Amino acid sequence: MTDSAGQARPQGTCRACGGTVMQFLELGRQPLSDRFLSQPEIHQEYFFHLAVGACERCTMVQLMHEVPREQMFHEDYPYYSSGSAAMQKHFVDTARHLLGTEAAGPDPFVVEIGCNDGVMLRTVHEAGVRHLGFEPSGKVAKAARANGVRVRGDFFEESTAREVRASDGPADVVFAANTICHIPDLDSVLQGVDALLGPDGVFVFEDPYLGDILAKTSFDQIYDEHFFLFSARSVRALAASFGFELVDVERLPVHGGEVRYTLAREGTRRPADRVAALIAEEDVGEVATLARLDRFAGDVRRVRDDLRALLERLKVEGRRVVAYGATAKSATVTNFCGIGPDLVSCVYDTTPAKQGRLTPGTHIPVRSADGFSADSADYALLFAWNHADEIMAKEQAFRQAGGAWILYVPQVHVRG
Ligand code: SAH
Ligand code: TYD
Ligand code: ZN
């Protein structure tokens, strides 16, 4: 059986249900997306094979090959969640919402998986509510502790969850943002949640939504850390196989479109009508079909060809092109499209841990965003397109000076 590029369709085993995974998109040899390199490190990069498939049985969309978690999440993991003012606000609002609902009883206990620099738990801490963040990446965990957040520097898994249950008692809420999709071993996560959560507790997690990724051709959401691309249908199936039920879904505008899923123990809550409504919408959009995913793969290759053609034309015309936002997502774009320092001179970014280093695989220099306005580039390729409003608002001088933004979501276009 061949895929949309006419290649034999490789198969794998589903990490959610054990069914057969059919590959639909091949993105080639890729580096670790968050490994920004010093010059000597460019000779010892870790590469893996990035390809995506969908399970025939439970529809879960997932990577065909797994990167060991210690390669990605370690002392120097450079992603700081508080780097965006809009995301800070999103997580203050999220914390207040949890504190006003699921964590509103006497002496509630809130656990977060992947608390990063404390962007969400900080507000829980300030409210004086018992909490614990799991965060295996050393420096970001340290930043959370500096914000007063109580952090356990381990991966969340069944064994560590059981230890917390024994020492701290049951949790009212287990929350995670942009983390559950990072964990191939979902068995261990769900068993850990089962062990830790009280009888009426909820497991709430939000991650990039497959429906939005297909609608926007945002293939840069596919990289080593994003092992799963969830949909309401695949999450409902996952929940059911661990004695949980998907009781609510909420679409979120952050990071290009996400869904917040709420799981409760089976039979404890009546599922909101919007669960069935979102699954019906997915059925109409054929989100879970191989035919739709094959069409997406064709769209992805078209965006790659268009973006390369534009950058090559600008190079011939002698224009200066830079990029903005050294995102993990951009590793997929630059490596899949073959965009190196010959096409994009440098990437501007606010993260000190990325500045002065080179982008993974393609070795484009990363510079402090403070230098962007003095650069007088003709074009800026917006890798952090999910933060477009925030970035364009603070970099208005760029367009006033005649600069133009290049975007590739939902298709390649220039905003002058
Ligand atoms: N919640 C934050 C951070 C997302 S980045 C936000 O939404 O912005 C994902 C984080 O999860 C990283 O900080 C990483 O170190 C952490 N992580 C990865 N695997 C984990 C696991 N098994 N348990 C707990 N945290 C994990
Ligand atoms: P983000 O898109 O949040 O995530 P990922 O790395 O998972 O794709 O990353 C945003 C990057 O853009 C991060 O390195 C910080 C940077 N950034 C800026 O340089 N300026 C800004 O105004 C914002 C909001 C982000
Ligand atoms: Zn499956």
Short mmCIF file of all heavy atoms in Angstrom, two decimals, residues 126-186:
data_model
loop_
_atom_site.label_atom_id
_atom_site.label_comp_id
_atom_site.label_asym_id
_atom_site.label_seq_id
_atom_site.Cartn_x
_atom_site.Cartn_y
_atom_site.Cartn_z
N GLU A 126 0.62 31.45 45.04
CA GLU A 126 0.29 32.76 45.62
C GLU A 126 -1.08 32.76 46.30
O GLU A 126 -1.32 33.55 47.21
CB GLU A 126 0.37 33.85 44.53
CG GLU A 126 1.83 34.21 44.23
CD GLU A 126 2.03 34.94 42.92
OE1 GLU A 126 1.03 35.27 42.25
OE2 GLU A 126 3.21 35.18 42.56
N ALA A 127 -1.94 31.82 45.87
CA ALA A 127 -3.26 31.70 46.52
C ALA A 127 -3.17 30.85 47.80
O ALA A 127 -4.18 30.64 48.47
CB ALA A 127 -4.25 31.07 45.54
N GLY A 128 -1.96 30.36 48.10
CA GLY A 128 -1.78 29.57 49.33
C GLY A 128 -2.33 28.16 49.25
O GLY A 128 -2.60 27.53 50.27
N VAL A 129 -2.48 27.65 48.03
CA VAL A 129 -3.08 26.32 47.82
C VAL A 129 -1.97 25.27 47.69
O VAL A 129 -0.95 25.49 47.04
CB VAL A 129 -4.00 26.35 46.58
CG1 VAL A 129 -4.37 24.95 46.14
CG2 VAL A 129 -5.26 27.16 46.89
N ARG A 130 -2.18 24.12 48.32
CA ARG A 130 -1.22 23.01 48.24
C ARG A 130 -1.04 22.56 46.80
O ARG A 130 -2.02 22.38 46.07
CB ARG A 130 -1.76 21.82 49.06
CG ARG A 130 -1.27 21.80 50.49
CD ARG A 130 -1.48 20.46 51.17
NE ARG A 130 -2.77 19.86 50.91
CZ ARG A 130 -2.94 18.59 50.55
NH1 ARG A 130 -1.91 17.79 50.38
NH2 ARG A 130 -4.16 18.11 50.35
N HIS A 131 0.20 22.37 46.41
CA HIS A 131 0.45 22.04 45.00
C HIS A 131 1.79 21.32 44.88
O HIS A 131 2.61 21.33 45.81
CB HIS A 131 0.49 23.33 44.17
CG HIS A 131 1.63 24.22 44.56
ND1 HIS A 131 1.55 25.12 45.59
CD2 HIS A 131 2.90 24.29 44.08
CE1 HIS A 131 2.72 25.72 45.73
NE2 HIS A 131 3.56 25.23 44.84
N LEU A 132 2.00 20.71 43.72
CA LEU A 132 3.30 20.12 43.39
C LEU A 132 3.44 20.10 41.88
O LEU A 132 2.52 19.68 41.16
CB LEU A 132 3.42 18.69 43.93
CG LEU A 132 4.75 17.99 43.60
CD1 LEU A 132 5.91 18.64 44.35
CD2 LEU A 132 4.69 16.50 43.94
N GLY A 133 4.59 20.56 41.39
CA GLY A 133 4.88 20.48 39.96
C GLY A 133 5.91 19.40 39.71
O GLY A 133 6.91 19.31 40.43
N PHE A 134 5.68 18.57 38.71
CA PHE A 134 6.71 17.63 38.25
C PHE A 134 7.47 18.32 37.12
O PHE A 134 6.84 18.77 36.14
CB PHE A 134 6.07 16.36 37.68
CG PHE A 134 5.71 15.34 38.71
CD1 PHE A 134 4.49 15.41 39.37
CD2 PHE A 134 6.58 14.31 39.02
CE1 PHE A 134 4.15 14.46 40.32
CE2 PHE A 134 6.24 13.35 39.97
CZ PHE A 134 5.03 13.42 40.62
N GLU A 135 8.79 18.41 37.24
CA GLU A 135 9.56 19.05 36.17
C GLU A 135 10.97 18.49 36.13
O GLU A 135 11.81 18.84 36.96
CB GLU A 135 9.59 20.58 36.35
CG GLU A 135 10.33 21.34 35.26
CD GLU A 135 10.00 20.87 33.85
OE1 GLU A 135 8.88 21.15 33.39
OE2 GLU A 135 10.85 20.21 33.20
N PRO A 136 11.25 17.59 35.16
CA PRO A 136 12.56 16.94 35.10
C PRO A 136 13.69 17.82 34.56
O PRO A 136 14.86 17.49 34.75
CB PRO A 136 12.32 15.76 34.14
CG PRO A 136 11.18 16.19 33.28
CD PRO A 136 10.32 17.05 34.15
N SER A 137 13.36 18.91 33.88
CA SER A 137 14.41 19.75 33.27
C SER A 137 14.94 20.74 34.31
O SER A 137 14.19 21.58 34.83
CB SER A 137 13.87 20.46 32.04
OG SER A 137 13.49 19.50 31.06
N GLY A 138 16.25 20.63 34.60
CA GLY A 138 16.85 21.27 35.77
C GLY A 138 16.70 22.78 35.87
O GLY A 138 16.23 23.29 36.89
N LYS A 139 17.12 23.49 34.82
CA LYS A 139 17.16 24.96 34.95
C LYS A 139 15.77 25.58 34.98
O LYS A 139 15.53 26.54 35.71
CB LYS A 139 18.01 25.56 33.84
CG LYS A 139 19.49 25.29 34.08
CD LYS A 139 20.42 26.07 33.18
CE LYS A 139 21.85 25.77 33.60
NZ LYS A 139 22.75 25.54 32.45
N VAL A 140 14.85 25.03 34.19
CA VAL A 140 13.50 25.59 34.23
C VAL A 140 12.83 25.28 35.58
O VAL A 140 12.09 26.11 36.12
CB VAL A 140 12.62 25.16 33.03
CG1 VAL A 140 13.19 25.70 31.73
CG2 VAL A 140 12.43 23.66 32.95
N ALA A 141 13.13 24.10 36.14
CA ALA A 141 12.59 23.74 37.47
C ALA A 141 13.11 24.72 38.53
O ALA A 141 12.38 25.15 39.42
CB ALA A 141 12.99 22.31 37.83
N LYS A 142 14.37 25.09 38.38
CA LYS A 142 14.98 26.04 39.31
C LYS A 142 14.28 27.40 39.24
O LYS A 142 14.02 28.05 40.26
CB LYS A 142 16.47 26.19 38.95
CG LYS A 142 17.30 26.81 40.01
CD LYS A 142 18.78 26.73 39.65
CE LYS A 142 19.54 27.70 40.56
NZ LYS A 142 20.79 28.12 39.98
N ALA A 143 13.94 27.80 38.02
CA ALA A 143 13.21 29.06 37.84
C ALA A 143 11.85 29.00 38.52
O ALA A 143 11.40 29.97 39.15
CB ALA A 143 13.05 29.37 36.35
N ALA A 144 11.19 27.84 38.46
CA ALA A 144 9.89 27.69 39.12
C ALA A 144 10.05 27.80 40.63
O ALA A 144 9.26 28.48 41.31
CB ALA A 144 9.27 26.34 38.75
N ARG A 145 11.09 27.15 41.17
CA ARG A 145 11.33 27.20 42.62
C ARG A 145 11.59 28.63 43.07
O ARG A 145 11.14 29.05 44.14
CB ARG A 145 12.51 26.30 43.01
CG ARG A 145 12.18 24.82 42.89
CD ARG A 145 13.27 23.93 43.49
NE ARG A 145 13.00 22.55 43.14
CZ ARG A 145 13.64 21.86 42.18
NH1 ARG A 145 14.61 22.44 41.48
NH2 ARG A 145 13.32 20.61 41.93
N ALA A 146 12.29 29.39 42.23
CA ALA A 146 12.57 30.80 42.56
C ALA A 146 11.28 31.61 42.61
O ALA A 146 11.22 32.66 43.25
CB ALA A 146 13.54 31.39 41.53
N ASN A 147 10.23 31.10 41.95
CA ASN A 147 8.91 31.75 42.01
C ASN A 147 8.06 31.23 43.17
O ASN A 147 6.87 31.51 43.24
CB ASN A 147 8.14 31.52 40.70
CG ASN A 147 8.70 32.36 39.56
OD1 ASN A 147 9.18 33.47 39.77
ND2 ASN A 147 8.65 31.82 38.35
N GLY A 148 8.67 30.42 44.03
CA GLY A 148 7.96 29.91 45.21
C GLY A 148 7.21 28.61 44.97
O GLY A 148 6.56 28.08 45.89
N VAL A 149 7.32 28.07 43.77
CA VAL A 149 6.57 26.86 43.42
C VAL A 149 7.28 25.62 44.00
O VAL A 149 8.50 25.54 43.98
CB VAL A 149 6.44 26.74 41.88
CG1 VAL A 149 5.84 25.42 41.47
CG2 VAL A 149 5.62 27.91 41.33
N ARG A 150 6.49 24.68 44.49
CA ARG A 150 7.05 23.43 45.01
C ARG A 150 7.21 22.46 43.82
O ARG A 150 6.23 22.12 43.16
CB ARG A 150 6.07 22.86 46.04
CG ARG A 150 6.58 21.63 46.75
CD ARG A 150 5.61 21.25 47.88
NE ARG A 150 5.84 19.88 48.25
CZ ARG A 150 4.94 18.90 48.20
NH1 ARG A 150 3.69 19.15 47.80
NH2 ARG A 150 5.26 17.68 48.54
N VAL A 151 8.46 22.04 43.59
CA VAL A 151 8.75 21.24 42.39
C VAL A 151 9.43 19.95 42.76
O VAL A 151 10.34 19.92 43.60
CB VAL A 151 9.68 22.01 41.42
CG1 VAL A 151 9.90 21.22 40.14
CG2 VAL A 151 9.12 23.39 41.09
N ARG A 152 9.02 18.87 42.12
CA ARG A 152 9.73 17.60 42.21
C ARG A 152 10.45 17.43 40.87
O ARG A 152 9.82 17.45 39.81
CB ARG A 152 8.74 16.46 42.46
CG ARG A 152 9.42 15.13 42.51
CD ARG A 152 8.49 14.04 43.00
NE ARG A 152 9.20 12.78 42.80
CZ ARG A 152 9.09 11.72 43.58
NH1 ARG A 152 8.28 11.73 44.61
NH2 ARG A 152 9.77 10.62 43.33
N GLY A 153 11.76 17.27 40.90
CA GLY A 153 12.57 17.27 39.68
C GLY A 153 12.62 15.93 38.98
O GLY A 153 13.68 15.48 38.56
N ASP A 154 11.46 15.30 38.83
CA ASP A 154 11.40 13.97 38.19
C ASP A 154 10.38 13.97 37.06
O ASP A 154 9.48 14.79 37.02
CB ASP A 154 10.91 12.92 39.21
CG ASP A 154 11.93 12.65 40.29
OD1 ASP A 154 13.11 12.45 39.96
OD2 ASP A 154 11.52 12.65 41.48
N PHE A 155 10.52 12.97 36.20
CA PHE A 155 9.47 12.68 35.23
C PHE A 155 8.24 12.20 35.99
O PHE A 155 8.37 11.43 36.94
CB PHE A 155 9.92 11.60 34.25
CG PHE A 155 10.97 12.06 33.28
CD1 PHE A 155 12.33 11.84 33.52
CD2 PHE A 155 10.61 12.73 32.12
CE1 PHE A 155 13.29 12.27 32.62
CE2 PHE A 155 11.56 13.16 31.21
CZ PHE A 155 12.91 12.94 31.47
N PHE A 156 7.06 12.62 35.53
CA PHE A 156 5.83 12.05 36.06
C PHE A 156 5.66 10.69 35.41
O PHE A 156 5.68 10.57 34.18
CB PHE A 156 4.63 12.94 35.71
CG PHE A 156 3.32 12.42 36.23
CD1 PHE A 156 2.84 12.81 37.48
CD2 PHE A 156 2.55 11.55 35.48
CE1 PHE A 156 1.64 12.33 37.97
CE2 PHE A 156 1.34 11.06 35.96
CZ PHE A 156 0.88 11.45 37.20
N GLU A 157 5.49 9.67 36.20
CA GLU A 157 5.23 8.32 35.69
C GLU A 157 4.55 7.56 36.82
O GLU A 157 4.35 8.11 37.91
CB GLU A 157 6.52 7.63 35.24
CG GLU A 157 7.58 7.57 36.31
CD GLU A 157 8.97 7.33 35.73
OE1 GLU A 157 9.10 6.96 34.56
OE2 GLU A 157 9.94 7.52 36.48
N GLU A 158 4.20 6.32 36.58
CA GLU A 158 3.40 5.61 37.58
C GLU A 158 4.09 5.58 38.95
O GLU A 158 3.47 5.86 39.98
CB GLU A 158 3.08 4.18 37.11
CG GLU A 158 2.05 3.55 38.01
CD GLU A 158 1.77 2.10 37.65
OE1 GLU A 158 2.24 1.63 36.60
OE2 GLU A 158 1.07 1.44 38.45
N SER A 159 5.40 5.27 38.96
CA SER A 159 6.09 5.11 40.25
C SER A 159 6.18 6.43 41.02
O SER A 159 5.91 6.47 42.23
CB SER A 159 7.49 4.54 40.02
OG SER A 159 8.24 5.42 39.20
N THR A 160 6.52 7.53 40.33
CA THR A 160 6.65 8.81 41.04
C THR A 160 5.27 9.32 41.49
O THR A 160 5.14 9.93 42.55
CB THR A 160 7.38 9.86 40.17
OG1 THR A 160 6.74 9.92 38.88
CG2 THR A 160 8.84 9.52 39.98
N ALA A 161 4.26 9.04 40.69
CA ALA A 161 2.89 9.45 41.06
C ALA A 161 2.45 8.71 42.32
O ALA A 161 1.85 9.31 43.23
CB ALA A 161 1.93 9.16 39.91
N ARG A 162 2.76 7.42 42.41
CA ARG A 162 2.39 6.63 43.60
C ARG A 162 3.08 7.17 44.85
O ARG A 162 2.48 7.22 45.94
CB ARG A 162 2.76 5.15 43.41
CG ARG A 162 1.80 4.42 42.52
CD ARG A 162 2.01 2.91 42.53
NE ARG A 162 1.16 2.30 41.51
CZ ARG A 162 -0.16 2.15 41.62
NH1 ARG A 162 -0.78 2.53 42.72
NH2 ARG A 162 -0.85 1.62 40.64
N GLU A 163 4.33 7.58 44.70
CA GLU A 163 5.06 8.14 45.85
C GLU A 163 4.38 9.40 46.36
O GLU A 163 4.25 9.62 47.57
CB GLU A 163 6.51 8.43 45.46
CG GLU A 163 7.36 7.17 45.36
CD GLU A 163 8.75 7.43 44.76
OE1 GLU A 163 9.19 8.61 44.77
OE2 GLU A 163 9.36 6.47 44.27
N VAL A 164 3.94 10.24 45.43
CA VAL A 164 3.28 11.49 45.84
C VAL A 164 1.94 11.20 46.51
O VAL A 164 1.58 11.80 47.52
CB VAL A 164 3.12 12.44 44.63
CG1 VAL A 164 2.26 13.65 45.00
CG2 VAL A 164 4.49 12.90 44.14
N ARG A 165 1.22 10.24 45.97
CA ARG A 165 -0.05 9.85 46.58
C ARG A 165 0.19 9.41 48.04
O ARG A 165 -0.56 9.77 48.96
CB ARG A 165 -0.69 8.73 45.77
CG ARG A 165 -1.84 8.02 46.43
CD ARG A 165 -3.06 8.93 46.58
NE ARG A 165 -3.99 8.42 47.55
CZ ARG A 165 -5.27 8.17 47.32
NH1 ARG A 165 -5.79 8.43 46.14
NH2 ARG A 165 -6.04 7.73 48.26
N ALA A 166 1.27 8.62 48.25
CA ALA A 166 1.56 8.10 49.59
C ALA A 166 1.96 9.24 50.54
O ALA A 166 1.58 9.24 51.72
CB ALA A 166 2.67 7.06 49.52
N SER A 167 2.72 10.22 50.05
CA SER A 167 3.20 11.28 50.95
C SER A 167 2.24 12.45 51.09
O SER A 167 2.17 13.08 52.14
CB SER A 167 4.56 11.79 50.45
OG SER A 167 4.45 12.27 49.12
N ASP A 168 1.50 12.77 50.02
CA ASP A 168 0.69 14.00 50.01
C ASP A 168 -0.81 13.75 49.98
O ASP A 168 -1.59 14.69 50.07
CB ASP A 168 1.05 14.88 48.80
CG ASP A 168 2.46 15.44 48.89
OD1 ASP A 168 3.40 14.64 49.09
OD2 ASP A 168 2.62 16.66 48.79
N GLY A 169 -1.20 12.51 49.73
CA GLY A 169 -2.64 12.23 49.62
C GLY A 169 -3.15 12.48 48.21
O GLY A 169 -2.38 12.82 47.31
N PRO A 170 -4.47 12.28 48.04
CA PRO A 170 -5.04 12.36 46.69
C PRO A 170 -5.08 13.79 46.14
O PRO A 170 -5.26 14.75 46.89
CB PRO A 170 -6.47 11.82 46.88
CG PRO A 170 -6.78 12.05 48.32
CD PRO A 170 -5.47 11.94 49.06
N ALA A 171 -4.95 13.90 44.81
CA ALA A 171 -5.03 15.21 44.15
C ALA A 171 -6.47 15.47 43.70
O ALA A 171 -7.18 14.55 43.31
CB ALA A 171 -4.09 15.24 42.95
N ASP A 172 -6.87 16.75 43.80
CA ASP A 172 -8.18 17.15 43.27
C ASP A 172 -8.10 17.39 41.77
O ASP A 172 -9.06 17.15 41.04
CB ASP A 172 -8.65 18.43 43.97
CG ASP A 172 -8.83 18.18 45.45
OD1 ASP A 172 -9.91 17.73 45.83
OD2 ASP A 172 -7.85 18.38 46.21
N VAL A 173 -6.96 17.92 41.34
CA VAL A 173 -6.74 18.18 39.91
C VAL A 173 -5.33 17.76 39.55
O VAL A 173 -4.38 18.10 40.25
CB VAL A 173 -6.81 19.70 39.58
CG1 VAL A 173 -6.79 19.91 38.07
CG2 VAL A 173 -8.00 20.36 40.20
N VAL A 174 -5.20 17.02 38.47
CA VAL A 174 -3.89 16.85 37.83
C VAL A 174 -4.00 17.62 36.52
O VAL A 174 -4.89 17.37 35.70
CB VAL A 174 -3.55 15.37 37.57
CG1 VAL A 174 -2.22 15.28 36.82
CG2 VAL A 174 -3.47 14.60 38.88
N PHE A 175 -3.12 18.61 36.36
CA PHE A 175 -3.16 19.48 35.19
C PHE A 175 -1.87 19.32 34.40
O PHE A 175 -0.80 19.06 34.97
CB PHE A 175 -3.32 20.95 35.62
CG PHE A 175 -3.29 21.93 34.48
CD1 PHE A 175 -4.44 22.11 33.70
CD2 PHE A 175 -2.14 22.63 34.15
CE1 PHE A 175 -4.42 22.99 32.61
CE2 PHE A 175 -2.10 23.50 33.06
CZ PHE A 175 -3.26 23.69 32.30
N ALA A 176 -1.96 19.49 33.08
CA ALA A 176 -0.76 19.51 32.24
C ALA A 176 -1.05 20.34 31.00
O ALA A 176 -2.15 20.28 30.44
CB ALA A 176 -0.37 18.10 31.83
N ALA A 177 -0.08 21.15 30.58
CA ALA A 177 -0.21 21.91 29.34
C ALA A 177 1.00 21.61 28.47
O ALA A 177 2.14 21.69 28.94
CB ALA A 177 -0.30 23.41 29.62
N ASN A 178 0.75 21.25 27.25
CA ASN A 178 1.83 21.02 26.29
C ASN A 178 2.86 20.03 26.83
O ASN A 178 4.06 20.22 26.64
CB ASN A 178 2.50 22.37 25.94
CG ASN A 178 1.47 23.37 25.48
OD1 ASN A 178 0.81 23.14 24.46
ND2 ASN A 178 1.25 24.43 26.23
N THR A 179 2.40 19.04 27.52
CA THR A 179 3.30 18.03 28.11
C THR A 179 2.80 16.61 27.87
O THR A 179 3.62 15.74 27.54
CB THR A 179 3.45 18.28 29.64
OG1 THR A 179 3.98 19.59 29.84
CG2 THR A 179 4.37 17.26 30.28
N ILE A 180 1.51 16.33 27.98
CA ILE A 180 1.06 14.95 27.80
C ILE A 180 1.37 14.47 26.38
O ILE A 180 1.79 13.32 26.18
CB ILE A 180 -0.46 14.80 28.12
CG1 ILE A 180 -0.72 15.22 29.57
CG2 ILE A 180 -0.93 13.36 27.90
CD1 ILE A 180 0.14 14.53 30.63
N CYS A 181 1.25 15.37 25.40
CA CYS A 181 1.57 14.96 24.02
C CYS A 181 3.06 14.66 23.85
O CYS A 181 3.48 14.11 22.84
CB CYS A 181 1.10 16.01 23.02
SG CYS A 181 2.12 17.50 22.93
N HIS A 182 3.88 15.04 24.87
CA HIS A 182 5.33 14.78 24.81
C HIS A 182 5.71 13.39 25.32
O HIS A 182 6.88 13.03 25.30
CB HIS A 182 6.09 15.78 25.70
CG HIS A 182 6.07 17.21 25.26
ND1 HIS A 182 4.93 17.88 24.93
CD2 HIS A 182 7.08 18.11 25.11
CE1 HIS A 182 5.23 19.13 24.61
NE2 HIS A 182 6.53 19.29 24.70
N ILE A 183 4.75 12.65 25.88
CA ILE A 183 5.11 11.43 26.61
C ILE A 183 4.61 10.17 25.89
O ILE A 183 3.42 9.85 25.96
CB ILE A 183 4.55 11.47 28.06
CG1 ILE A 183 4.90 12.82 28.73
CG2 ILE A 183 5.09 10.30 28.87
CD1 ILE A 183 4.32 12.99 30.13
N PRO A 184 5.51 9.44 25.19
CA PRO A 184 5.07 8.24 24.46
C PRO A 184 4.45 7.18 25.36
O PRO A 184 3.53 6.48 24.95
CB PRO A 184 6.37 7.71 23.82
CG PRO A 184 7.28 8.89 23.77
CD PRO A 184 6.92 9.75 24.95
N ASP A 185 4.95 7.08 26.60
CA ASP A 185 4.46 6.03 27.50
C ASP A 185 3.18 6.48 28.20
O ASP A 185 3.16 6.76 29.41
CB ASP A 185 5.55 5.66 28.51
CG ASP A 185 5.22 4.38 29.26
OD1 ASP A 185 4.10 3.84 29.06
OD2 ASP A 185 6.07 3.92 30.04
N LEU A 186 2.08 6.52 27.45
CA LEU A 186 0.81 6.98 28.00
C LEU A 186 0.27 6.03 29.07
O LEU A 186 -0.45 6.46 29.97
CB LEU A 186 -0.23 7.12 26.88
CG LEU A 186 -0.09 8.35 25.98
CD1 LEU A 186 -1.16 8.33 24.90
CD2 LEU A 186 -0.18 9.64 26.78
#
